[in-house]
Amino acid sequence: MNHRISLRARVLPVVAAAGMLVPVVAGASPASAAAAPQVSCTSGTAGLAAKLQRDITAALATRAGTVAVGLRDRTTNTTCTLRATTAYDSASVVKVTVLATLLWDAKKTNRYLTSRETGLATAMITKSDNAATTTLWNQLGITKVKGFLTAAGMTRTVPGSGGYWGLTRINVTDEQRLLSLITARNTVLSDNSRAYIQKLMGQVVTSQKWGTPAGAPSSVAVHVKNGWLQRATRGWRVHSIGTFQGLGHDYTITVLTDGNSTMNYGVTTIQAVSKVIHRDLIPTAPAATRYAPTIRPQEAYVAVPQL
C-alpha cells in the first residue's frame, strides 16, 4: 500500500515562578565534576526537576558504562540531560533517521512512497531488518542523509562511512531533536510523515519492545526504536529512543549507553532510568498498569568492520 507524502556546586531545587525555570544539577565537587557529568533538569512544575534529578542519579549510581540521557515533557515544560553531546555508535537507532530522510526526500517532490519502499521501511523499523536498512541507505546516499540532518538541525550527527550506517555517530541532543520533529508539527516532516513514523515505531515486534518503554503506564501510547552492537573496544553499545503520549503528558526519552559487559546489562541500565522517569512524570498511574517490557530483549545484529 502506498503512503501519501504531504507536506558543580550543589544548587537549590527548581523554582517555578513567573514562568522562570531554575536548573537543578547533582551535587559534585569541582574536582569530580569534569570527570563525571551530572544529571541536569528543569521544569515548570515545582519540585519535579529536583525529583527527576535525584531519581535518575540514583538509578545510575551502581551502573557501569557511560550513559547519556535526554528527557523532554512538553506538558510540564520539563527537560533532563546527561552527557547531551557525547557521541555514540548508533547501531539500529539510526533507522529512524533513515526513515525520516526517506520521507523528507519524498516530500520535496510531494510523491508517494512506493510499495517497495513502504515494505522496506516497515521491515526496517518494526523488525529492525538490516538488509532493508542497507537498501534504503544506499538508495538515499550520504548526500541526502546529510541534507536531512542539516534540515533537522541535527548538527552533531555524523553518518557512518563505507556503508556502515550502524556506525553513524549520534548523541542525545540530536536524537531528542529528531523525536521532537516526529511528535510536533514542523516544516521538515509533513504531518503524514510524522504519523507514519510513529505508527511504525508503535508496531515494533514484541521481542524488541524493551528499553525506554519500561515503566510507562499501559494507557500511554508508546513508540520505540532500539539498537545494540558489540565492538572490540568499549563493549556493547545499547540504546533506546521513545515517544510517549497520554494521561496529560507528551514526552520523549533518549538513553544511550556504551561500555556494557553484555547487551542485557545495557538494557537493564536503560530500563532503570526509564522506570523512574515514567514514575516521576505520572505518579498517579498504579504500578499494576505500568508497561513491562519483554524479558528476552532482541535486536538484529548490525554489520560493523572488523577491527
Side-chain angles (χ1 to χ4, degrees):
M1 179 176 179
N2 290 345
H3 175 65
R4 176 65 176 167
I5 303 302
S6 63
L7 284 188
R8 243 148 195 258
R10 187 181 302 273
V11 299
L12 295 175
V14 67
V15 177
M20 296 179 63
L21 300 178
V22 179
V24 174
V25 298
S29 67
S32 64
Q38 306 297 306
V39 178
S40 176
C41 298
T42 65
S43 181
T45 298
L48 181 56
K51 185 171 181 56
L52 280 163
Q53 178 271 311
R54 181 175 61 250
D55 291 347
I56 294 171
T57 299
L60 293 174
T62 61
R63 306 304 295 174
T66 302
V67 183
V69 178
L71 163 68
R72 182 191 180 196
D73 180 24
R74 290 188 178 94
T75 306
T76 58
N77 196 19
T78 298
T79 64
C80 289
T81 58
L82 172 65
R83 296 187 177 91
T85 58
T86 298
Y88 294 78
D89 294 330
S90 67
S92 289
V93 165
V94 77
K95 292 171 181 176
V96 179
T97 298
V98 175
L99 177 55
T101 302
L102 178 67
L103 294 166
W104 168 79
D105 183 62
K107 173 191 169 190
K108 291 189 294 184
T109 55
N110 198 35
R111 73 172 179 87
Y112 290 89
L113 291 190
T114 67
S115 58
R116 167 185 166 276
E117 288 171 330
T118 57
L120 290 169
T122 299
M124 176 175 67
I125 301 298
T126 66
K127 297 189 292 185
S128 204
D129 187 282
N130 289 331
T133 308
T134 297
T135 298
L136 289 174
W137 181 270
N138 291 339
Q139 171 184 315
L140 291 165
I142 291 292
T143 299
K144 288 183 178 179
V145 174
K146 288 182 176 179
F148 168 75
L149 293 173
T150 298
M154 298 168 66
T155 59
R156 294 176 180 266
T157 299
V158 180
S161 61
Y164 291 109
W165 44 261
L167 295 185
T168 296
R169 299 291 280 170
I170 63 172
N171 60 85
V172 158
T173 297
D174 282 2
E175 291 303 300
Q176 286 291 97
R177 172 62 177 162
L178 176 62
L179 295 178
S180 178
L181 291 174
I182 292 169
T183 55
R185 300 193 76 174
N186 59 85
T187 59
V188 180
L189 295 172
S190 71
D191 291 347
N192 283 354
S193 296
R194 296 189 303 102
Y196 185 56
I197 296 171
Q198 289 188 74
K199 174 186 174 182
L200 294 186
M201 290 177 67
Q203 295 177 343
V204 168
V205 295
T206 300
S207 61
Q208 295 179 20
K209 285 184 177 178
W210 47 265
T212 52
S218 59
S219 54
V220 167
V222 171
H223 313 90
V224 65
K225 186 69 194 83
N226 300 320
W228 62 265
L229 65 84
Q230 182 185 31
R231 304 199 73 193
T233 59
R234 302 192 65 80
W236 292 81
R237 288 84 163 134
V238 187
H239 314 312
S240 182
I241 62 174
T243 77
F244 307 89
Q245 295 91 30
L247 296 179
H249 289 268
D250 177 7
Y251 56 107
T252 60
I253 303 174
T254 295
V255 186
L256 311 178
T257 75
D258 69 11
N260 299 293
S261 56
T262 65
M263 174 190 170
N264 281 351
Y265 187 92
V267 171
T268 300
T269 296
I270 293 170
Q271 295 186 167
V273 172
S274 301
K275 287 175 182 177
V276 300
I277 290 175
H278 293 298
R279 184 191 67 205
D280 288 354
L281 286 178
I282 314 178
T284 57
T289 69
R290 296 188 183 277
Y291 178 79
T294 178
I295 60 174
R296 292 187 175 86
Q298 293 181 19
E299 177 58 285
Y301 282 97
V302 175
V304 295
Q306 297 299 312
L307 299 180

